[in-house]
């Protein structure tokens, strides 16, 4: 996987609305202003469909889009007259640019053109224009306004209107079901050829995307979602192209290989997703919380969720162990197993620490916190047995729940201040930044 962990990235800046009437991102002195939107059309041997597609798209943008725009034809090693058609369009239409690549691959074309574009909003669509162009402005508007980081057209939204054969319908829905079950994807349609991304997000995200073919879209969306970026979905009207060049079987095999590769990389923490994080306070709901240290609100929510699940896990283990041993042994064993799971879950979900750096140290510190919790719960059981001799199982559980609540409060304070301290404020952390990113 592409990681570039030694690059001094830092967090993304807060999203901002592009100024009305602005020509786009600031350009160097003497360089013409860049267009706000760059729409890429990746093509391979499309000499027949390319010109009507580009002219129709240009006419639509000229009539409806309020900002400056550019249409970039990304030719993927075509062997027919596609390069000549693209060059003729670029010569006759000021807003059209042709880009030639000597290797095939839609993902390669998008990565190359987007990386060199410089426009603040980047989009792409398939040359067959299966998606109704009336969805283009709703697609890019949330990116222009600063509301979202990426936007995708969805053929599977309830209000979408789609015309296509049963085989493609089955393949699309099965693929998205695989993504939801294996990668916990929440977006509804990964394969629709109608997507957009903010330029500064693309500069960070694209070096992390390894695939250069059809899986490029899915990998980009999964990494963006796992990083906490906001993905906007637009219901689209979509008509299947009967002359599509996509080979379903080979594409499906490549996609499944990509799902396995990305899932494995996410499982072992091999991707520096922290470089895509937005600063706390970027969301208006964060700014509405006054007097709370940065990150505390989210950490409290995450810790409570993990704590509730850990408590249920602990009680289940205690009940199982209690059938074969005494209360003290059952409590110690259940608390030890649940503590290891609790530390691992809080490390990733609550405090956002990814990767294997310092994992052993964090678990060791977690065991110290576990020992404190064990002392509290074991002491409570000992006091109960001393007071009543042979307490009922329900009474034991009630006492353990109360003791665990007290231990939970102390555990959060120790996790936040000692095990997973916030080192971003420069409070005595003299480690190099690259090591700090790896530790996270």
């Amino acid at each position: 996987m592409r990681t570039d962990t030694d690059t001094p990235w830092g967090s993304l800046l807060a999203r901002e609305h592009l100024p009305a009437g602005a020509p786009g991102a600031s350009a160097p002195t003497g360089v013409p202003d860049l267009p706000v939107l760059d729409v890429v059309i990746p093509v391979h041997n499309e000499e027949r469909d390319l010109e009507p597609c580009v002219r129709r798209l240009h006419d639509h943008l000229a009539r409806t889009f309020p900002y400056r725009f550019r249409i970039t034809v990304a030719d993927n090693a075509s062997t027919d007259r596609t390069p000549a058609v693209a060059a003729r369009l670029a010569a006759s239409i000021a807003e059209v640019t042709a880009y030639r690549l000597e290797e095939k691959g839609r993902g390669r074309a998008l990565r190359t053109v987007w990386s060199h574009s410089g426009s603040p909003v980047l989009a792409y669509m398939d040359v067959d224009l299966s998606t109704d162009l009336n969805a283009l402005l709703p697609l890019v508007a949330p990116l222009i306004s600063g509301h979202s980081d990426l936007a995708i057209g969805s053929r599977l939204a309830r209000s979408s209107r789609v015309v296509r054969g049963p085989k493609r319908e089955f393949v699309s829905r099965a693929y998205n079901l695989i993504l939801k079950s294996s990668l916990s994807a929440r977006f509804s349609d990964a394969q629709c050829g109608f997507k957009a991304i903010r330029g500064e997000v693309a500069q960070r995200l694209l070096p992390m995307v390894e695939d250069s073919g059809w899986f490029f879209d899915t990998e980009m969306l999964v990494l963006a979602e796992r990083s906490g970026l906001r993905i906007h979905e637009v219901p689209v009207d979509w008509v299947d192209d009967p002359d599509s060049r996509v080979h379903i079987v080979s594409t499906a095999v490549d996609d499944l290989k990509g799902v396995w590769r990305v899932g494995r990389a996410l499982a072992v923490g091999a991707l520096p997703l922290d470089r895509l994080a937005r600063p706390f306070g970027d969301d208006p709901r964060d700014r509405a919380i006054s007097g709370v240290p940065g990150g505390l609100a989210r950490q409290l929510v995450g810790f409570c969720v993990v704590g509730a699940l850990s408590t249920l896990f602990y009680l289940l283990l205690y009940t199982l162990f209690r059938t074969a041993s005494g209360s003290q042994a059952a409590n110690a064993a259940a608390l030890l197993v649940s503590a290891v799971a609790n530390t691992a879950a809080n490390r990733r979900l609550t405090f956002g620490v990814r990767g294997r750096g310092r994992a052993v140290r964090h678990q060791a510190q977690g065991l110290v916190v576990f020992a404190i919790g064990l002392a509290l719960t074991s002491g409570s059981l000992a006091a109960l047995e001393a007071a009543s001799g042979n307490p009922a199982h329900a009474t034991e559980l009630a006492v353990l729940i109360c003791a665990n609540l007290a231990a939970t409060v102390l555990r959060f304070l120790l996790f936040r201040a000692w095990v997973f301290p916030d080192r971003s404020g420069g409070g005595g952390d003299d480690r190099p930044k690259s090591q700090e990113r790896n530790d996270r």
Side-chain angles (χ1 to χ4, degrees), residues 52-382:
C53 162
V54 170
R55 292 193 178 278
R56 179 183 165 196
L57 175 60
H58 178 267
D59 177 68
H60 178 83
L61 288 171
R63 289 186 295 103
T64 65
F65 193 67
Y67 293 85
R68 288 187 56 196
F69 65 89
R70 176 171 60 211
I71 300 172
T72 302
V73 178
D75 174 30
N76 291 297
S78 293
T79 56
D80 63 358
R81 296 183 58 256
T82 298
V85 175
R88 184 172 68 248
L89 289 168
S92 60
I93 304 176
E95 291 83 8
V96 175
T97 301
Y99 201 104
R100 168 74 177 182
L101 292 93
E102 299 301 331
E103 296 180 87
K104 290 178 60 177
R106 181 178 69 174
R108 178 179 290 107
L110 293 177
R111 180 188 296 111
T112 302
V113 176
W114 281 355
S115 297
H116 294 86
S117 173
S119 293
V121 178
L122 310 167
Y124 95 90
M125 61 180 59
D126 293 334
V127 69
D128 55 22
L129 294 186
S130 295
T131 304
D132 182 11
L133 292 179
N134 286 327
L136 182 55
L137 185 55
L139 181 80
V140 301
L143 309 187
I144 294 174
S145 70
H147 175 272
S148 301
D149 298 293
L150 296 91
I152 64 174
S154 176
R155 300 163 296 183
L156 302 181
R158 289 187 177 182
S159 57
S160 298
R161 294 183 292 183
V162 177
V163 178
R164 61 177 167 181
K167 181 171 68 173
R168 287 187 175 275
E169 180 75 12
F170 172 78
V171 170
S172 179
R173 291 190 178 275
Y175 180 64
N176 282 281
L177 181 61
I178 291 173
L179 293 180
K180 292 179 183 298
S181 59
S182 61
L183 298 178
S184 301
R186 296 190 298 274
F187 47 85
S188 65
D189 191 352
Q191 294 177 309
C192 182
F194 193 67
K195 296 181 175 70
I197 184 172
R198 283 179 68 96
E200 78 273 14
V201 175
Q203 294 300 318
R204 301 285 187 90
L205 181 56
L206 296 184
M208 299 168 59
V209 179
E210 182 174 326
D211 190 80
S212 295
W214 293 99
F215 187 69
F216 174 88
D217 302 50
T218 302
E219 186 171 356
M220 179 179 69
L221 290 174
V222 169
L223 298 186
E225 187 176 75
R226 288 299 186 94
S227 302
L229 298 180
R230 179 174 290 164
I231 301 175
H232 179 74
E233 296 198 14
V234 178
V236 297
D237 297 341
W238 194 86
V239 179
D240 189 18
D241 177 16
D243 191 34
S244 175
R245 312 286 178 84
V246 179
H247 300 287
I248 296 180
V249 176
S250 60
T251 301
V253 171
D254 291 340
D255 286 348
L256 291 177
K257 291 179 180 178
V259 169
W260 168 257
R261 173 176 54 79
V262 172
R264 182 177 57 184
L266 292 172
V268 301
L271 292 166
L273 300 180
D274 57 297
R275 73 171 56 169
L276 296 171
R278 292 288 186 184
F280 187 81
D282 180 59
D283 191 314
R285 291 171 297 181
D286 301 333
R287 294 194 293 272
I289 302 175
S290 59
V292 178
L296 179 58
R298 291 180 181 176
Q299 290 175 1
L300 280 171
V301 172
F303 185 81
C304 289
V305 173
V306 172
L309 295 176
S310 298
T311 300
L312 293 176
F313 184 49
Y314 160 78
L315 293 175
L316 176 62
L317 291 176
Y318 177 81
T319 300
L320 293 175
F321 294 154
R322 188 67 174 86
T323 60
S325 62
S327 62
Q328 293 288 0
N331 174 63
L335 196 59
L336 176 61
V337 175
S338 61
V340 172
N342 180 276
T343 300
N346 275 307
R347 181 177 188 269
R348 180 173 180 83
L349 301 178
T350 303
F351 298 96
V353 181
R354 296 179 173 85
R356 288 169 286 187
R358 291 193 169 208
V360 175
R361 175 177 175 176
H362 291 156
Q363 281 293 348
Q365 291 173 308
L367 289 178
V368 174
V369 178
F370 151 76
I372 297 174
L374 178 61
L376 284 173
T377 54
S378 297
S380 300
L381 281 176

Side-chain angles (χ1 to χ4, degrees), residues 394-406:
T395 305
E396 286 183 349
L397 289 181
V399 171
L400 285 174
I401 289 174
C402 293
N404 267 283
L405 287 175

